[in-house]
Amino acid sequence: MRLRDYQASAVWDLRLLYANGARGAFLVAPCGAGKTVVFATIARLAVRKGSRVVVVVPRRELMDQALDKLTACGAGRLGIIAAGRKNPHPDAPVQVAMLWTLARRVLPWSPDLVIIDEAHLAKCATVTKLLARPTWEGARLLLASATPWRTDGKGFDDLAQAIVACPQVSDLVAAGHLVPAVTYSRQGHVKLDGLHRRAGEYRREEMAARFHQPKLWGDIVESWREHATGLRTICFASSVAHSKALCRTYNTAGIPAGHLDGSTPAPERLRLLAALAAGDLLVLVNCGVLCEGFDLPALGCVQVARKTASRGLWLQMTGRALRPAPGKTQAIILDHGANWQEHGLVDDVRTYTLAGRVKRDKPTVPAVRQCTACFRVYRSGDWLRDMAGWWQCPGCGHAERPQRRRPPMTAQAARLERVNARKINPIPLQRCPMGVDPALWARLELERIDKGYKPGWSWHRARTWQRRRRSSQGSW
């Protein structure tokens, strides 16, 4: 198997870390970057040196992917540890195991390398018990995930000593390995009254009650017809009942759709996925099933009809449609929950760390502005402002006066609009106080919005700057 340049570089960096004595490493690769290829290559090289490897996966789709990549890269005989499947090679040096099945079984040998796919789940109790087994002591650890964050704020610095990161989504798009994403969402802030959090995520029953209603943050079917008609689509619903209702709505509108949830029998599940791949189904609505391990390059649209407080889940859902395919030029993201307001766009530049957070992160999306004429979105550096203080769109030239903050919008039908650049904080600049240089005030306001500071920060910084300026002038 021929590796891409960044994949070969990641393999080299991981081998160097282990050679320098690191016990654990975290491989971060965006959806579609090929992290399975990277850790399959690491497993093959480890087996070549006589090591024994166990690959732990949380889903059957991920298990099938791991088996395919390990076979393609020539890792040798492969064992399978999963419920309902007989292990063809129980003594093979590479065992691919379902997490929950492996927790109830014992390996015939002590592993030298443990690879955990979708490693943002590595802090769960089941993985902790596995790693605490006496026969697993001394084994090196390779964590792999596209989203190294947890909603509970726990870090991974006790499991890994370093991060090996593949290029960002924007870099992979520029290199042609992924397709660009075009996001459509509603304007204005989202009203979250009545939605509480449990373990960092919105409570499922409250979110389901909010979204499972006829007037749902935008008309689901009409938005699909306007922006993604004819494209194969997966839709993420807030609950099983919500998913079934959306499926009926699509079918009633004459759009072939199917429903998938955790209780769907395996044969029916395979039939629905095959129908979507063949184009017999255009929309597959699901509840928490296709977030991880689902790869269909021909997928053209992802529709998110729910709200999430998890940055990782948001990126996992939207990343499903980024893989390239013949004739595919872009991926459409329909965000009915306005999740970009909290997590940004799928192609924003992200920072990774092994340390956990002390408290919940505040939204830190870049300061941008959306044109009300062409609905294009631009970074703060691309804004144009004339002497009268009006904002001018660098795309269409439309000029408008800065507006006050818009009131929150409640759950009702709303037209989705394009959000096609780094996103978005629609908070306008505060009025420049008397006696403060307007250019200085604009710079301070842009920095305040970009960093998520409180409104009074700009005033205090301006006062400090002017005080220092007067002091320096007096010293001359």
Side-chain angles (χ1 to χ4, degrees):
M1 177 182 293
R2 184 178 180 86
L3 300 181
R4 298 171 182 170
D5 293 341
Y6 67 86
Q7 293 172 337
S9 177
V11 170
W12 175 261
D13 292 341
L14 289 170
R15 296 181 67 188
L16 189 62
L17 283 174
Y18 292 132
N20 291 333
R23 182 181 179 270
F26 204 122
L27 172 65
V28 180
C31 295
K35 73 176 185 299
T36 309
V37 175
V38 175
F39 72 66
T41 304
I42 291 291
R44 176 178 61 84
L45 296 174
V47 171
R48 181 178 296 180
K49 291 188 174 183
S51 300
R52 292 172 174 175
V53 183
V54 57
V55 181
V56 183
V57 296
R59 293 177 181 266
R60 287 188 175 271
E61 293 84 1
L62 295 171
M63 182 179 66
D64 295 335
Q65 289 180 22
L67 290 171
D68 292 340
K69 300 304 181 184
L70 287 166
T71 302
C73 73
R77 294 186 305 149
L78 304 175
I80 303 174
I81 302 176
R85 297 184 65 168
K86 183 178 180 180
N87 194 339
H89 303 290
D91 59 340
V94 179
Q95 298 288 325
V96 182
M98 288 288 294
L99 172 61
W100 322 113
T101 306
L102 184 60
R104 300 188 297 270
R105 299 185 186 179
V106 179
L107 290 173
W109 35 253
S110 299
D112 301 302
L113 175 63
V114 178
I115 301 175
I116 301 179
D117 196 7
E118 302 300 339
H120 48 275
L121 305 175
K123 302 295 290 187
C124 69
T126 304
V127 175
T128 302
K129 291 179 181 179
L130 282 176
L131 298 179
R133 289 181 175 180
T135 56
W136 289 36
E137 291 183 1
R140 290 173 175 172
L141 188 62
L142 174 55
L143 308 177
S145 177
T147 53
W149 309 284
R150 290 179 57 87
T151 54
D152 57 10
K154 294 181 180 180
F156 303 93
D157 49 357
D158 58 333
L159 300 177
Q161 287 73 55
I163 291 178
V164 174
C166 291
Q168 300 272 347
V169 172
S170 55
D171 299 325
L172 295 174
V173 170
H177 300 308
L178 299 177
V179 298
V182 176
T183 302
Y184 293 90
S185 187
R186 62 180 304 154
Q187 288 186 321
H189 295 281
V190 178
K191 188 175 182 180
L192 300 177
D193 296 346
L195 287 181
H196 303 88
R197 302 187 186 220
R198 180 187 295 129
E201 179 61 292
Y202 295 115
R203 293 189 177 183
R204 184 171 300 178
E205 61 277 8
E206 295 178 351
M207 183 181 62
R210 175 68 62 86
F211 282 85
H212 185 30
Q213 49 182 310
K215 293 183 178 180
L216 170 78
W217 307 92
D219 188 349
I220 303 294
V221 176
E222 289 304 318
S223 297
W224 183 87
R225 281 176 168 168
E226 181 179 0
H227 303 294
T229 181
L231 298 180
R232 276 171 278 189
T233 303
I234 56 173
C235 178
F236 293 94
S238 60
S239 65
V240 174
H242 184 207
S243 178
K244 293 179 179 179
L246 290 180
C247 180
R248 290 193 299 268
T249 304
Y250 269 109
N251 285 314
T252 303
I255 302 169
H259 158 76
L260 190 63
D261 61 56
S263 62
T264 304
E268 177 66 11
R269 183 173 183 168
L270 294 176
R271 186 192 68 81
L272 290 172
L273 294 177
L276 181 66
D280 298 331
L281 283 182
L282 286 181
V283 180
L284 184 55
V285 192
N286 74 102
C287 178
V289 175
L290 303 178
C291 304
E292 301 166 348
F294 174 70
D295 293 341
L296 180 60
L299 189 71
C301 174
V302 171
Q303 194 169 34
V304 184
R306 54 164 294 172
K307 186 72 176 174
T308 179
S310 170
R311 172 173 45 181
L313 179 58
W314 164 246
L315 295 178
Q316 289 281 356
M317 291 188 295
T318 54
R320 296 302 105 195
L322 296 182
R323 287 174 173 82
K328 182 178 177 180
T329 60
Q330 63 183 12
I332 302 297
I333 310 297
L334 303 181
D335 180 17
H336 295 269
N339 293 281
W340 53 262
Q341 292 184 356
E342 187 170 359
H343 309 302
L345 296 182
V346 65
D347 58 351
D348 282 345
V349 176
R350 315 281 171 177
T351 56
Y352 310 120
T353 178
L354 293 173
R357 66 176 187 269
V358 178
K359 59 181 180 179
R360 183 172 62 86
D361 293 336
K362 295 182 178 180
T364 55
V365 295
V368 298
R369 185 175 181 81
Q370 186 174 23
C371 176
T372 58
C374 67
F375 304 121
R376 294 289 299 273
V377 181
Y378 300 91
R379 287 182 178 273
S380 57
D382 296 330
W383 294 352
L384 302 177
R385 197 175 188 184
D386 57 20
M387 298 300 296
W390 286 52
W391 295 109
Q392 185 176 5
C393 174
C396 67
H398 174 72
E400 59 184 23
R401 187 188 302 275
Q403 299 177 357
R404 297 180 178 179
R405 185 196 301 263
R406 299 182 179 183
M409 303 177 72
T410 56
Q412 59 184 354
R415 182 177 180 270
L416 301 188
E417 297 173 343
R418 181 169 179 171
V419 185
N420 63 339
R422 307 295 183 268
K423 200 61 213 172
I424 284 174
N425 192 339
I427 303 177
L429 303 186
Q430 300 179 99
R431 171 181 286 183
C432 179
M434 294 183 61
V436 178
D437 180 40
L440 170 64
W441 182 257
R443 291 197 302 269
L444 292 176
E445 277 290 274
L446 292 176
E447 183 178 358
R448 176 187 68 82
I449 296 175
D450 184 51
K451 296 183 178 180
Y453 293 153
K454 294 182 179 180
W457 180 87
S458 300
W459 184 82
H460 286 287
R461 285 298 301 271
R463 186 178 64 172
T464 302
W465 187 87
Q466 290 185 325
R467 186 182 302 162
R468 292 177 179 174
R469 184 179 181 182
R470 288 194 297 267
S471 177
S472 62
Q473 290 174 350
S475 63
W476 285 99

